[in-house]
Amino acid sequence: MDSGTLASIKAAMAGEGSPLARMLNALALLREALGPKSWVGLYVYEEKTNKLNLGPFQGSPACVSIRPGKGVVGTCYAAKKPLYVDDVNEFPGYVSCDACVKSEACFPLFAGDDVIGVLDVDSPELDGLKGDLTILMAVAHLFEG
Ligand code: SME
């Protein structure tokens, strides 16, 4: 991914349409840049159920909810820190939604001091997101606030 991708995602987020339409277009651009077998989406925290629920995404059908502290998504949420797993098979408690995923990156989405959700990115390659982490972090910030 290059800075042109980030610029087009920024434009989609700032452009026309409902918040959902803008998020879906931004996620579609991100997935296109990462490749057709990648998966990108949001998990949104719900206090009532204490779950991270599947939100807008682009890619194959995915797990509909994840507990805080579980899997890559829930661990990122609980730690309030970005988490990159270069080989998901080595991650204890990995939550597998799609057998073709080999590496995964998650970024907490903040509203003030609270984490309201997670940007989740899956790659079909081992260590497939290594070169994209800085831009992915910038993309995550666009989904905050
Ligand atoms: N693999 C994730 C679950 C979400 S999917 O990748 C879309 C995890 O371990 O939390």
Side-chain angles (χ1 to χ4, degrees), residues 25-66:
N25 275 338
L27 291 167
L29 288 165
L30 180 59
R31 182 168 183 250
E32 262 180 17
L34 291 171
K37 288 185 178 167
S38 62
W39 188 97
V40 299
L42 306 181
Y43 279 90
V44 181
Y45 182 67
E46 183 183 51
E47 202 170 343
K48 191 175 62 177
T49 55
N50 189 35
K51 282 181 181 171
L52 288 147
N53 291 323
L54 182 62
F57 72 94
Q58 298 288 352
S60 301
C63 307
V64 295
S65 68
I66 296 169

Side-chain angles (χ1 to χ4, degrees), residues 34 71-73 75-77 79-92 94 101-108 118-134 136-137:
L34 291 171
V72 186
V73 170
T75 301
C76 166
Y77 173 83
K80 296 185 165 189
K81 285 183 184 158
L83 179 57
Y84 177 50
V85 178
D86 59 4
D87 180 354
V88 297
N89 288 317
E90 300 292 321
F91 189 84
Y94 179 69
V101 175
K102 299 284 195 305
S103 56
E104 177 161 355
C106 286
F107 302 84
V118 169
L119 171 66
D120 183 20
V121 180
D122 292 343
S123 167
E125 312 285 343
L126 277 174
D127 206 8
L129 300 166
K130 183 175 48 179
D132 297 319
L133 297 174
T134 305
L136 289 173
M137 187 75 193

